[in-house]
Amino acid sequence: QVQLVESGGGLVQAGGSLRLSCAASGSIFSINTMGWYRQAPGKQRELVATITSGGITNHADSVKGRFTCSRDNAKNTVYLQMNKLKPEDTAVYYCTALKGSSYYWGQGTQVIVSS
């Protein structure tokens, strides 16, 4: 089992920045891809960004140029630096980790961007 704990969410004004962190623990050996999804009220969960153990990233078009996903393998932690936040970025952000064919999810952290 892999446990994921997110932190760093909160309330911010449009144009501001937040940094989310997600620490993995438990059976973390062979975790490959980690990343972030988000779910806004009334909407489906959507991909925000992912990063492989080798550092290859993939960012959704809606966040390219504003968000950066990074990873510290020594700390088993993945980050999401969010800049130039917009009200439409308001959502619960979930950390995810892929190990083998199994996906693990954090409990989510709320991000609210006020206009």
Side-chain angles (χ1 to χ4, degrees), residues 3-7 21-25 36 77-78 95 105-109:
Q3 292 79 45
L4 302 171
V5 178
E6 302 105 332
S7 61
S21 300
C22 172
S25 62
W36 298 90
T77 299
V78 63
C95 175
W105 297 89
Q107 80 287 354
T109 185

Side-chain angles (χ1 to χ4, degrees), residues 19 22 34 51 70-79:
R19 189 193 196 205
C22 172
M34 297 185 72
I51 183 166
S70 62
R71 182 170 175 171
D72 185 333
N73 289 327
K75 295 182 178 180
N76 303 309
T77 299
V78 63
Y79 305 96

Side-chain angles (χ1 to χ4, degrees), residues 28-72:
I28 59 176
F29 182 75
S30 296
I31 289 177
N32 184 2
T33 300
M34 297 185 72
W36 298 90
Y37 283 70
R38 68 186 181 186
Q39 188 166 18
K43 294 188 177 181
Q44 290 188 332
R45 191 172 296 190
E46 64 175 2
L47 171 72
V48 177
T50 59
I51 183 166
T52 68
S53 57
I56 298 172
T57 59
N58 175 43
H59 292 77
D61 288 343
S62 60
V63 306
K64 282 181 180 176
R66 300 188 298 122
F67 292 10
T68 302
C69 184
S70 62
R71 182 170 175 171
D72 185 333

